[in-house]
Amino acid sequence: MNKFKALILGTDHNSYAVARSYMEAFDDKAVVVGSAVLLPFYHSKIADVYTRKSFSMDDEIFVDFLNEVANKYPDTSFVFFAPTEAYIDILIRNIDKLNFDYRCPYPEKEMSEKLILKSNFHEFLEKIKVPYPKTQIINRDKIESLTLDGELFMKADQYEDFVLIDFAQKQKGYRVSGKDEAKKLLKIIFQAGYKGNMLVQTYINGEAGFEYSINGYRAHDGKISMVLARNIVSDKREMWVGNHIVQVDSKDQRFYALAKKIVNELDYHGLFNFDFKLDEKTGQIYTLEMNIRQGRTFYYAILGGVNLIEIAIKDMILKESVEKRGENKFRLMTLTENCLKNHVKKSLLDEFLEEKRVKNSANPIIYDKDRSLTRNFRIKESINKLEKEIFGN
């Protein structure tokens, strides 16, 4: 087997889940490079962590520091893993300047630029006749052109630019009662300095239990490995709206078929993540979003029986491809069971407490091979704080 390492960008929860997945597959430490050590890697023993200020924002620092770190591991092939589109963007933009051997399980520049914008993805779905919420793209000069009405959902097309703006009404997404309320909010958002497009969509009926997520990998020869999860508790905080707190297994083959159709039609290779929603009233499945990376909570794939990080590395380094689907019952949680069982919708409580799921549960940053009194205390303290912020208890 060739000498290789996972080279992970950033130190957030997603990055830690990659490092954990790599350790579980190969019993080896990943190399992690970021701007600072965030909570998931606090006193961690499962990765070699290197940090430099402004690493994620300055192209020159990004290139120089990656080259410096990689050169500490001679005769090694690296496989990149990135937790966000911002990291993928800076990586793709500078990848030709790196002076070491690497592989990248994400699309090349042309496809990355096309799919990072949600509006481009919707145009593609329209072309291949895959249902998605009816959408209007609104910029600062076209607010009055909004015709969609009724219950709507709005979000920024250029999210990485949107998060840099500070204003009182700032949220990751906005659920509004009609076009008049939408127009008022759009004016506030653009006046605050946002220069990109906003997506205004019809709201798809359904709360907890009607959103689904797929994480997967399409190999060099077109084989696709995927795991499907049903989202039964989501974050309601302004800048975290829709982030998944509890996900459980699902066997609904319709979602797999949709994901397979999309990545095959795109001829997409690499890691991917889809968000879907099942309309509570009509039963129609809508494709909400595609991320050109593993999702923030992709670790549920391992609980489902599919290690996507292992599959990606073996495909890219050894050209060994597989096609797998999640078979195990599982429950992924980012908070404690004692807290969550009081906030799971009553109709979903049996699913949450189902015995096989309880036995196969995990919070990705709580790892038996990465424990110490100091680390355990900090993680417990952070989770308790989150529970109070999200649920007020």
Side-chain angles (χ1 to χ4, degrees), residues 110-126 137 157 199 266:
E110 185 179 347
M111 184 171 287
S112 292
E113 289 175 346
K114 182 167 67 175
L115 291 178
I116 279 176
L117 287 181
K118 296 175 179 67
S119 53
N120 288 340
F121 180 56
H122 290 152
E123 287 179 16
F124 170 73
L125 294 180
E126 183 77 33
I137 301 168
D157 200 11
L199 302 181
L266 279 168

PDB file of all heavy atoms in Angstrom, residues 110-126 137 157 199 266:
ATOM      1  N   GLU A 110     -14.074  24.230 -12.621  1.00  0.00           N
ATOM      2  CA  GLU A 110     -15.248  24.625 -13.397  1.00  0.00           C
ATOM      3  C   GLU A 110     -16.541  24.152 -12.748  1.00  0.00           C
ATOM      4  O   GLU A 110     -17.497  24.912 -12.596  1.00  0.00           O
ATOM      5  CB  GLU A 110     -15.145  24.070 -14.828  1.00  0.00           C
ATOM      6  CG  GLU A 110     -16.269  24.539 -15.738  1.00  0.00           C
ATOM      7  CD  GLU A 110     -16.128  24.002 -17.157  1.00  0.00           C
ATOM      8  OE1 GLU A 110     -15.051  23.467 -17.502  1.00  0.00           O
ATOM      9  OE2 GLU A 110     -17.102  24.139 -17.908  1.00  0.00           O
ATOM     10  N   MET A 111     -16.574  22.866 -12.332  1.00  0.00           N
ATOM     11  CA  MET A 111     -17.783  22.354 -11.701  1.00  0.00           C
ATOM     12  C   MET A 111     -17.970  22.930 -10.307  1.00  0.00           C
ATOM     13  O   MET A 111     -19.104  23.220  -9.892  1.00  0.00           O
ATOM     14  CB  MET A 111     -17.766  20.825 -11.651  1.00  0.00           C
ATOM     15  CG  MET A 111     -19.063  20.249 -11.076  1.00  0.00           C
ATOM     16  SD  MET A 111     -19.206  18.457 -11.241  1.00  0.00           S
ATOM     17  CE  MET A 111     -19.522  18.308 -13.008  1.00  0.00           C
ATOM     18  N   SER A 112     -16.891  23.133  -9.561  1.00  0.00           N
ATOM     19  CA  SER A 112     -16.992  23.725  -8.224  1.00  0.00           C
ATOM     20  C   SER A 112     -17.629  25.107  -8.295  1.00  0.00           C
ATOM     21  O   SER A 112     -18.555  25.425  -7.540  1.00  0.00           O
ATOM     22  CB  SER A 112     -15.605  23.845  -7.581  1.00  0.00           C
ATOM     23  OG  SER A 112     -15.067  22.594  -7.291  1.00  0.00           O
ATOM     24  N   GLU A 113     -17.136  25.934  -9.221  1.00  0.00           N
ATOM     25  CA  GLU A 113     -17.672  27.287  -9.352  1.00  0.00           C
ATOM     26  C   GLU A 113     -19.138  27.271  -9.752  1.00  0.00           C
ATOM     27  O   GLU A 113     -19.930  28.112  -9.323  1.00  0.00           O
ATOM     28  CB  GLU A 113     -16.842  28.073 -10.363  1.00  0.00           C
ATOM     29  CG  GLU A 113     -15.444  28.415  -9.844  1.00  0.00           C
ATOM     30  CD  GLU A 113     -14.585  29.097 -10.902  1.00  0.00           C
ATOM     31  OE1 GLU A 113     -14.969  29.064 -12.099  1.00  0.00           O
ATOM     32  OE2 GLU A 113     -13.530  29.656 -10.539  1.00  0.00           O
ATOM     33  N   LYS A 114     -19.511  26.285 -10.569  1.00  0.00           N
ATOM     34  CA  LYS A 114     -20.897  26.188 -11.026  1.00  0.00           C
ATOM     35  C   LYS A 114     -21.835  25.751  -9.900  1.00  0.00           C
ATOM     36  O   LYS A 114     -22.934  26.294  -9.748  1.00  0.00           O
ATOM     37  CB  LYS A 114     -20.978  25.204 -12.195  1.00  0.00           C
ATOM     38  CG  LYS A 114     -22.371  25.051 -12.790  1.00  0.00           C
ATOM     39  CD  LYS A 114     -22.333  24.335 -14.123  1.00  0.00           C
ATOM     40  CE  LYS A 114     -21.900  22.893 -13.990  1.00  0.00           C
ATOM     41  NZ  LYS A 114     -21.978  22.163 -15.269  1.00  0.00           N
ATOM     42  N   LEU A 115     -21.398  24.814  -9.067  1.00  0.00           N
ATOM     43  CA  LEU A 115     -22.291  24.226  -8.078  1.00  0.00           C
ATOM     44  C   LEU A 115     -22.277  24.951  -6.740  1.00  0.00           C
ATOM     45  O   LEU A 115     -23.203  24.778  -5.944  1.00  0.00           O
ATOM     46  CB  LEU A 115     -21.943  22.752  -7.870  1.00  0.00           C
ATOM     47  CG  LEU A 115     -22.253  21.834  -9.048  1.00  0.00           C
ATOM     48  CD1 LEU A 115     -21.818  20.411  -8.755  1.00  0.00           C
ATOM     49  CD2 LEU A 115     -23.743  21.864  -9.384  1.00  0.00           C
ATOM     50  N   ILE A 116     -21.239  25.754  -6.463  1.00  0.00           N
ATOM     51  CA  ILE A 116     -21.220  26.494  -5.206  1.00  0.00           C
ATOM     52  C   ILE A 116     -22.401  27.458  -5.143  1.00  0.00           C
ATOM     53  O   ILE A 116     -22.996  27.670  -4.089  1.00  0.00           O
ATOM     54  CB  ILE A 116     -19.871  27.218  -5.008  1.00  0.00           C
ATOM     55  CG1 ILE A 116     -18.842  26.219  -4.460  1.00  0.00           C
ATOM     56  CG2 ILE A 116     -20.008  28.392  -4.062  1.00  0.00           C
ATOM     57  CD1 ILE A 116     -17.448  26.765  -4.302  1.00  0.00           C
ATOM     58  N   LEU A 117     -22.802  28.030  -6.284  1.00  0.00           N
ATOM     59  CA  LEU A 117     -23.973  28.908  -6.323  1.00  0.00           C
ATOM     60  C   LEU A 117     -25.235  28.056  -6.405  1.00  0.00           C
ATOM     61  O   LEU A 117     -25.415  27.269  -7.322  1.00  0.00           O
ATOM     62  CB  LEU A 117     -23.910  29.853  -7.531  1.00  0.00           C
ATOM     63  CG  LEU A 117     -22.901  30.989  -7.461  1.00  0.00           C
ATOM     64  CD1 LEU A 117     -22.993  31.838  -8.717  1.00  0.00           C
ATOM     65  CD2 LEU A 117     -23.147  31.855  -6.241  1.00  0.00           C
ATOM     66  N   LYS A 118     -26.122  28.240  -5.419  1.00  0.00           N
ATOM     67  CA  LYS A 118     -27.353  27.449  -5.358  1.00  0.00           C
ATOM     68  C   LYS A 118     -28.233  27.687  -6.585  1.00  0.00           C
ATOM     69  O   LYS A 118     -28.930  26.785  -7.056  1.00  0.00           O
ATOM     70  CB  LYS A 118     -28.112  27.778  -4.075  1.00  0.00           C
ATOM     71  CG  LYS A 118     -27.359  27.395  -2.807  1.00  0.00           C
ATOM     72  CD  LYS A 118     -28.101  27.858  -1.567  1.00  0.00           C
ATOM     73  CE  LYS A 118     -27.362  27.446  -0.298  1.00  0.00           C
ATOM     74  NZ  LYS A 118     -26.071  28.125  -0.131  1.00  0.00           N
ATOM     75  N   SER A 119     -28.201  28.906  -7.110  1.00  0.00           N
ATOM     76  CA  SER A 119     -29.034  29.225  -8.273  1.00  0.00           C
ATOM     77  C   SER A 119     -28.605  28.404  -9.493  1.00  0.00           C
ATOM     78  O   SER A 119     -29.448  27.978 -10.294  1.00  0.00           O
ATOM     79  CB  SER A 119     -28.953  30.723  -8.583  1.00  0.00           C
ATOM     80  OG  SER A 119     -27.605  31.148  -8.702  1.00  0.00           O
ATOM     81  N   ASN A 120     -27.314  28.169  -9.656  1.00  0.00           N
ATOM     82  CA  ASN A 120     -26.838  27.331 -10.763  1.00  0.00           C
ATOM     83  C   ASN A 120     -27.325  25.900 -10.615  1.00  0.00           C
ATOM     84  O   ASN A 120     -27.676  25.236 -11.598  1.00  0.00           O
ATOM     85  CB  ASN A 120     -25.303  27.341 -10.823  1.00  0.00           C
ATOM     86  CG  ASN A 120     -24.750  28.660 -11.309  1.00  0.00           C
ATOM     87  OD1 ASN A 120     -25.451  29.447 -11.939  1.00  0.00           O
ATOM     88  ND2 ASN A 120     -23.497  28.913 -11.008  1.00  0.00           N
ATOM     89  N   PHE A 121     -27.345  25.416  -9.395  1.00  0.00           N
ATOM     90  CA  PHE A 121     -27.808  24.053  -9.136  1.00  0.00           C
ATOM     91  C   PHE A 121     -29.289  23.916  -9.486  1.00  0.00           C
ATOM     92  O   PHE A 121     -29.710  22.924 -10.071  1.00  0.00           O
ATOM     93  CB  PHE A 121     -27.556  23.700  -7.676  1.00  0.00           C
ATOM     94  CG  PHE A 121     -28.005  22.306  -7.292  1.00  0.00           C
ATOM     95  CD1 PHE A 121     -27.526  21.196  -7.984  1.00  0.00           C
ATOM     96  CD2 PHE A 121     -28.893  22.103  -6.245  1.00  0.00           C
ATOM     97  CE1 PHE A 121     -27.924  19.914  -7.638  1.00  0.00           C
ATOM     98  CE2 PHE A 121     -29.294  20.838  -5.894  1.00  0.00           C
ATOM     99  CZ  PHE A 121     -28.805  19.730  -6.595  1.00  0.00           C
ATOM    100  N   HIS A 122     -30.073  24.944  -9.172  1.00  0.00           N
ATOM    101  CA  HIS A 122     -31.505  24.897  -9.507  1.00  0.00           C
ATOM    102  C   HIS A 122     -31.723  24.858 -11.019  1.00  0.00           C
ATOM    103  O   HIS A 122     -32.625  24.159 -11.499  1.00  0.00           O
ATOM    104  CB  HIS A 122     -32.225  26.102  -8.900  1.00  0.00           C
ATOM    105  CG  HIS A 122     -32.316  26.036  -7.409  1.00  0.00           C
ATOM    106  ND1 HIS A 122     -32.387  27.153  -6.611  1.00  0.00           N
ATOM    107  CD2 HIS A 122     -32.336  24.981  -6.558  1.00  0.00           C
ATOM    108  CE1 HIS A 122     -32.454  26.793  -5.349  1.00  0.00           C
ATOM    109  NE2 HIS A 122     -32.423  25.479  -5.291  1.00  0.00           N
ATOM    110  N   GLU A 123     -30.905  25.592 -11.750  1.00  0.00           N
ATOM    111  CA  GLU A 123     -31.014  25.562 -13.219  1.00  0.00           C
ATOM    112  C   GLU A 123     -30.754  24.152 -13.740  1.00  0.00           C
ATOM    113  O   GLU A 123     -31.430  23.677 -14.659  1.00  0.00           O
ATOM    114  CB  GLU A 123     -30.020  26.541 -13.840  1.00  0.00           C
ATOM    115  CG  GLU A 123     -30.402  28.008 -13.672  1.00  0.00           C
ATOM    116  CD  GLU A 123     -29.362  28.930 -14.279  1.00  0.00           C
ATOM    117  OE1 GLU A 123     -28.533  28.456 -15.083  1.00  0.00           O
ATOM    118  OE2 GLU A 123     -29.379  30.134 -13.948  1.00  0.00           O
ATOM    119  N   PHE A 124     -29.792  23.480 -13.145  1.00  0.00           N
ATOM    120  CA  PHE A 124     -29.493  22.113 -13.545  1.00  0.00           C
ATOM    121  C   PHE A 124     -30.650  21.173 -13.210  1.00  0.00           C
ATOM    122  O   PHE A 124     -31.042  20.329 -14.028  1.00  0.00           O
ATOM    123  CB  PHE A 124     -28.203  21.641 -12.848  1.00  0.00           C
ATOM    124  CG  PHE A 124     -27.940  20.182 -13.010  1.00  0.00           C
ATOM    125  CD1 PHE A 124     -27.514  19.657 -14.230  1.00  0.00           C
ATOM    126  CD2 PHE A 124     -28.135  19.306 -11.952  1.00  0.00           C
ATOM    127  CE1 PHE A 124     -27.282  18.303 -14.385  1.00  0.00           C
ATOM    128  CE2 PHE A 124     -27.913  17.949 -12.090  1.00  0.00           C
ATOM    129  CZ  PHE A 124     -27.479  17.451 -13.318  1.00  0.00           C
ATOM    130  N   LEU A 125     -31.243  21.319 -12.019  1.00  0.00           N
ATOM    131  CA  LEU A 125     -32.382  20.472 -11.638  1.00  0.00           C
ATOM    132  C   LEU A 125     -33.549  20.673 -12.597  1.00  0.00           C
ATOM    133  O   LEU A 125     -34.254  19.718 -12.943  1.00  0.00           O
ATOM    134  CB  LEU A 125     -32.812  20.779 -10.200  1.00  0.00           C
ATOM    135  CG  LEU A 125     -31.819  20.429  -9.087  1.00  0.00           C
ATOM    136  CD1 LEU A 125     -32.401  20.797  -7.730  1.00  0.00           C
ATOM    137  CD2 LEU A 125     -31.452  18.945  -9.124  1.00  0.00           C
ATOM    138  N   GLU A 126     -33.748  21.905 -13.011  1.00  0.00           N
ATOM    139  CA  GLU A 126     -34.810  22.212 -13.982  1.00  0.00           C
ATOM    140  C   GLU A 126     -34.557  21.449 -15.278  1.00  0.00           C
ATOM    141  O   GLU A 126     -35.473  20.854 -15.867  1.00  0.00           O
ATOM    142  CB  GLU A 126     -34.823  23.724 -14.242  1.00  0.00           C
ATOM    143  CG  GLU A 126     -35.920  24.195 -15.168  1.00  0.00           C
ATOM    144  CD  GLU A 126     -37.273  24.274 -14.496  1.00  0.00           C
ATOM    145  OE1 GLU A 126     -37.336  24.572 -13.298  1.00  0.00           O
ATOM    146  OE2 GLU A 126     -38.282  23.994 -15.191  1.00  0.00           O
ATOM    147  N   ILE A 137     -34.772  34.407  -8.098  1.00  0.00           N
ATOM    148  CA  ILE A 137     -33.474  34.961  -7.719  1.00  0.00           C
ATOM    149  C   ILE A 137     -33.609  36.481  -7.708  1.00  0.00           C
ATOM    150  O   ILE A 137     -33.941  37.087  -8.724  1.00  0.00           O
ATOM    151  CB  ILE A 137     -32.378  34.516  -8.702  1.00  0.00           C
ATOM    152  CG1 ILE A 137     -32.295  32.989  -8.729  1.00  0.00           C
ATOM    153  CG2 ILE A 137     -31.034  35.125  -8.324  1.00  0.00           C
ATOM    154  CD1 ILE A 137     -31.457  32.426  -9.852  1.00  0.00           C
ATOM    155  N   ASP A 157     -27.680  33.403  -1.718  1.00  0.00           N
ATOM    156  CA  ASP A 157     -27.033  32.552  -2.723  1.00  0.00           C
ATOM    157  C   ASP A 157     -25.532  32.493  -2.476  1.00  0.00           C
ATOM    158  O   ASP A 157     -24.897  31.467  -2.683  1.00  0.00           O
ATOM    159  CB  ASP A 157     -27.324  33.110  -4.122  1.00  0.00           C
ATOM    160  CG  ASP A 157     -27.119  32.072  -5.219  1.00  0.00           C
ATOM    161  OD1 ASP A 157     -26.959  30.880  -4.888  1.00  0.00           O
ATOM    162  OD2 ASP A 157     -27.128  32.437  -6.403  1.00  0.00           O
ATOM    163  N   LEU A 199     -32.152  33.957  -2.717  1.00  0.00           N
ATOM    164  CA  LEU A 199     -33.096  32.984  -3.267  1.00  0.00           C
ATOM    165  C   LEU A 199     -34.382  33.053  -2.462  1.00  0.00           C
ATOM    166  O   LEU A 199     -34.361  32.910  -1.234  1.00  0.00           O
ATOM    167  CB  LEU A 199     -32.520  31.566  -3.184  1.00  0.00           C
ATOM    168  CG  LEU A 199     -31.180  31.308  -3.875  1.00  0.00           C
ATOM    169  CD1 LEU A 199     -30.783  29.856  -3.715  1.00  0.00           C
ATOM    170  CD2 LEU A 199     -31.255  31.666  -5.342  1.00  0.00           C
ATOM    171  N   LEU A 266     -24.724  14.848 -13.696  1.00  0.00           N
ATOM    172  CA  LEU A 266     -23.639  15.837 -13.613  1.00  0.00           C
ATOM    173  C   LEU A 266     -22.294  15.242 -14.009  1.00  0.00           C
ATOM    174  O   LEU A 266     -21.353  15.978 -14.281  1.00  0.00           O
ATOM    175  CB  LEU A 266     -23.514  16.357 -12.171  1.00  0.00           C
ATOM    176  CG  LEU A 266     -24.484  17.442 -11.702  1.00  0.00           C
ATOM    177  CD1 LEU A 266     -24.391  17.599 -10.183  1.00  0.00           C
ATOM    178  CD2 LEU A 266     -24.181  18.779 -12.384  1.00  0.00           C
TER     179      LEU A 266
END
